[in-house]
Amino acid sequence: MKNLTLRQLRYVEALVRHSHFGRAADACAISQPALSMQIKELEEGLGLALFERGARQIRLTSFGTEFATRARDILRAVEALGDLAQAWQDQLVGPLRIGVIPTVAPYLLPTLIGNLARSHEGLDIHVRETVTPRLIQELIDGRLDTAIVALPVSEPSFNEVALFTESFVLVRPSEEEGKPVPNREMLSEMRLLLLEEGHCFRDQALAFCNVPSLRTRELLDGSSLSTLVQMVGAGIGVTLIPEMAVPMETRSAQVSIARFADPQPSRTIGMIWRKTSPLVKQLLEISKVVRDAADLLRGRCGQQLPDFQHAPAAVHLSP
């Protein structure tokens, strides 16, 4: 086929990702008829169908699966050329695709985006908020440049830069304020509210509470920290949240906050990116801006986050 274009490959990628013409068209910022026409023209030029169209869903044909894999490789190589050009400019300009986990995004992003906009006017920031496994896959696929996650990720193909460490606090109904703070053994027997499966914060909380795997089915799940805190305020149970979330999530809930005895449960937040990325210098610069934003957030939180701490400077780069 002589007239195969990168635009058509991007349309195929979007359709594979969304499995729906309407959603794929929205993602590509074109109309659904225009996307359908482009896919049809591509299939006619190839002489083979890429998609099997059903009444309610579409799926790749066998040929389409192989085609989509190679198309993704081509698009990744094209994106790498763009990264290379940006790296050669030796400055932060153009698009920067940042992924952030949901238990960090609402609290850190407002300050971070403002700081980046002021310090790097030529930067076009695109934010993707989702759980760690998806961020890792999208980073591997080249759809993200970097991600802010809980460390360690322990992915051999990534660099990791630790940014700051924060403790987890206990959230319980307001009438329990002043009561002794339960230890791990006591907490494991309480009605514990946790984020739904897929969130790394859920796994960290379970590890601290030492909840037997058989009991996890009995726990109540929520889709966000805000939901969990409101459920606690309604007297349904108790939960753990990171210190960063305390000011925002507890301001309108009838709850009390308590710290655990040392050693307190905690997490380290950091940035990750591909070792092969040509943007290493620029991403290290971005990591400093993220750390500064976390410092500013600490100052705004004041006494509500008295033990908020930096992680030791830890940059793990490939040789």
Side-chain angles (χ1 to χ4, degrees), residues 1-5 8-13 15-16 37-51 53 60-71 74:
M1 180 177 180
K2 296 181 180 180
N3 298 321
L4 183 65
T5 67
Q8 289 173 323
L9 297 185
R10 292 191 176 98
Y11 291 162
V12 169
E13 181 192 22
L15 198 50
V16 170
M37 183 179 67
Q38 286 287 332
I39 296 296
K40 183 178 179 181
E41 289 182 358
L42 176 59
E43 290 177 322
E44 290 176 349
L46 294 169
L48 291 166
L50 295 171
F51 297 94
R53 297 158 173 83
L60 284 165
T61 62
S62 297
F63 169 71
T65 300
E66 179 67 20
F67 183 91
T69 299
R70 299 197 181 193
I74 293 171

Side-chain angles (χ1 to χ4, degrees), residues 293-303 305-310:
D295 276 344
L296 187 58
L297 179 63
R298 177 190 60 181
R300 289 175 180 173
C301 293
Q303 295 303 312
L305 299 178
D307 297 327
F308 194 74
Q309 299 175 347
H310 268 311

Side-chain angles (χ1 to χ4, degrees), residues 119-291:
S119 60
H120 301 88
E121 295 182 359
L123 206 57
D124 181 17
I125 304 167
H126 300 261
V127 175
R128 164 75 161 145
E129 178 186 342
T130 189
V131 293
T132 301
R134 292 177 186 169
L135 292 178
I136 290 175
Q137 188 58 54
E138 292 180 17
L139 199 54
I140 291 173
D141 291 342
R143 299 201 296 270
L144 291 174
D145 297 308
T146 185
I148 301 173
V149 298
L151 300 181
V153 170
S154 301
E155 168 57 51
S157 63
F158 290 169
N159 284 325
E160 298 184 2
V161 177
L163 300 174
F164 59 89
T165 296
E166 62 174 345
S167 297
F168 304 159
V169 297
L170 175 66
V171 183
R172 50 187 177 175
S174 56
E175 57 266 24
E176 296 185 22
E177 185 169 2
K179 291 185 178 181
V181 179
N183 57 29
R184 295 176 58 176
E185 291 71 24
M186 297 167 62
L187 199 60
S188 66
E189 299 301 323
M190 300 175 73
R191 196 175 195 185
L192 193 60
L193 311 178
L194 296 172
L195 290 175
E196 58 193 1
E197 291 187 4
H199 291 269
C200 58
F201 188 77
R202 172 190 175 91
D203 299 330
Q204 294 160 348
L206 284 173
F208 170 71
C209 298
N210 197 26
V211 176
S213 58
L214 292 177
R215 274 206 59 227
T216 58
R217 299 177 183 177
E218 304 171 10
L219 305 178
L220 297 179
D221 297 344
S223 60
S224 68
L225 294 179
S226 178
T227 299
L228 296 182
V229 172
Q230 293 299 324
M231 291 169 69
V232 172
I236 296 176
V238 301
T239 192
L240 277 67
I241 65 173
E243 286 184 311
M244 181 183 293
V246 169
M248 180 181 296
E249 302 302 352
T250 63
R251 61 189 176 190
S252 62
Q254 298 298 312
V255 298
S256 64
I257 304 299
R259 293 194 175 278
F260 294 99
D262 291 332
Q264 297 182 40
S266 65
R267 67 177 181 178
T268 297
I269 299 298
M271 277 177 55
I272 58 175
W273 58 79
R274 296 179 300 278
K275 288 180 177 179
T276 56
S277 173
L279 301 175
V280 172
K281 180 179 178 180
Q282 289 86 341
L283 291 174
L284 283 171
E285 185 177 338
I286 289 290
S287 73
K288 297 176 183 177
V289 180
V290 177
R291 185 179 285 113

